Amino acid sequence: IGGLRSLRLLFVMKGFQDAEQDVRTPYMVVRIFKFLLLYAMDAHWFACIFYFVAITESDPTKTWLHAVEQSKPDGLPASAAGRYLVSLYWGLSTLATVGYGDVTPQSSPEMAVTVLFMLFNLFLCAWVLGNMTILITQADESTRQFRDKFQRLERYMALHLLPEELQGSLRSCLLLQFSAAQEHRDVLDHFPAVLRTRVQRLLYRPAIDASLFSAVGSDAFLDSLSCVLQLEVLMAGTQAVTQNEAS
């Protein structure tokens, strides 16, 4: 019955899946707590199996319980909770690949459980480390791309001996582009054209109506114009349009 109660942890895992899909919760925090829970469940289950194998051994002197009783100054705890704590200590030290050696298997069944535990941990640790690597890599990808662009810009300016004033302007422009929010058209690419048109009209139609285009263009033309406009971030004092500029 106690083992069946552990199946309730499946509902906990379902809760983690729902939290991962909730945009209000930091995704990395949810994943880290999920991995910690998996480690705790792994150590708990194998600690229980390790203890069960010991108490069902026909010869009590050939168990890890007896070995701990003989080796520890205070002996083995008398309570079941204390013995479970010792078994959990074995599970966590084995899971962490520390292996202090003070709690070791003494019989063939205990060795079999330990081998199975270590093999299972190999796959679990590889899966967790792989997922953590993906999370960290994705989180740092935008920063890495920005640093690469910045380094290429520094080499370009040093190669062409650009003036310090122009170098400062180029650095400030790159920093502004990195810190500014992403252009919303990239976010709307996967939405239907009808919704994209409504968003574009809401954002840009007021600015078009306040320009000279409103006096010469039809309403359909102005809507089409608002759908092709794009946001461009410029530093203060930068000339957006110069005289006789073709594009």
Side-chain angles (χ1 to χ4, degrees):
I1 296 179
L4 294 177
R5 291 176 180 175
S6 299
L7 295 178
R8 292 181 297 181
L9 293 175
L10 296 177
F11 295 98
V12 177
M13 303 306 296
K14 179 61 169 59
F16 273 105
Q17 293 179 356
D18 296 338
E20 290 174 356
Q21 300 173 2
D22 190 349
V23 297
R24 298 170 298 179
T25 308
Y27 181 72
M28 181 173 290
V29 174
V30 175
R31 295 289 287 180
I32 290 175
F33 274 103
K34 181 179 179 179
F35 296 150
L36 292 176
L37 178 62
L38 287 175
Y39 276 133
M41 292 167 54
D42 182 27
H44 164 73
W45 284 337
F46 275 94
C48 293
I49 296 174
F50 194 57
Y51 180 68
F52 176 78
V53 170
I55 62 176
T56 56
E57 175 64 38
S58 58
D59 187 357
T61 62
K62 296 181 179 180
T63 64
W64 66 268
L65 294 172
H66 181 266
V68 172
E69 177 72 31
Q70 298 297 318
S71 61
K72 295 292 185 181
D74 297 333
L76 189 68
S79 63
R83 297 187 177 189
Y84 166 75
L85 183 61
V86 176
S87 183
L88 183 62
Y89 161 79
W90 163 85
L92 290 175
S93 61
T94 305
L95 177 60
T97 67
V98 176
Y100 290 111
D102 51 348
V103 181
T104 57
Q106 302 297 316
S107 63
S108 296
E110 292 177 357
M111 292 180 184
V113 171
T114 304
V115 170
L116 181 62
F117 185 36
M118 289 187 290
L119 290 176
F120 181 80
N121 290 338
L122 289 177
F123 292 100
L124 178 63
C125 292
W127 180 77
V128 171
L129 291 177
N131 279 270
M132 288 299 299
T133 302
I134 293 175
L135 288 176
I136 296 174
T137 302
Q138 290 178 345
D140 294 341
E141 181 63 21
S142 60
T143 303
R144 184 193 64 80
Q145 293 179 357
F146 166 73
R147 292 175 65 90
D148 290 343
K149 290 181 180 179
F150 203 91
Q151 291 175 359
R152 290 197 301 268
L153 176 63
E154 290 292 339
R155 290 193 296 266
Y156 178 85
M157 294 187 299
L159 177 63
H160 295 280
L161 302 177
L162 299 183
E164 287 295 332
E165 183 272 335
L166 183 55
Q167 291 186 23
S169 298
L170 291 173
R171 293 189 188 98
S172 299
C173 182
L174 188 59
L175 288 170
L176 178 62
Q177 292 177 357
F178 177 73
S179 59
Q182 289 186 348
E183 207 275 323
H184 67 273
R185 290 177 65 90
D186 297 336
V187 179
L188 299 177
D189 283 344
H190 301 289
F191 287 88
V194 176
L195 293 178
R196 293 200 304 268
T197 301
R198 291 178 60 185
V199 174
Q200 292 284 102
R201 185 186 299 116
L202 177 65
L203 292 176
Y204 299 130
R205 184 59 190 270
I208 296 176
D209 290 338
S211 66
L212 297 177
F213 289 103
S214 60
V216 297
S218 64
D219 188 68
F221 170 76
L222 297 180
D223 280 344
S224 300
L225 181 61
S226 65
C227 293
V228 298
L229 293 180
Q230 296 185 18
L231 177 66
E232 185 174 353
V233 181
L234 300 175
M235 295 187 301
T238 302
Q239 291 183 347
V241 180
T242 58
Q243 188 176 4
N244 299 325
E245 185 178 14
S247 59

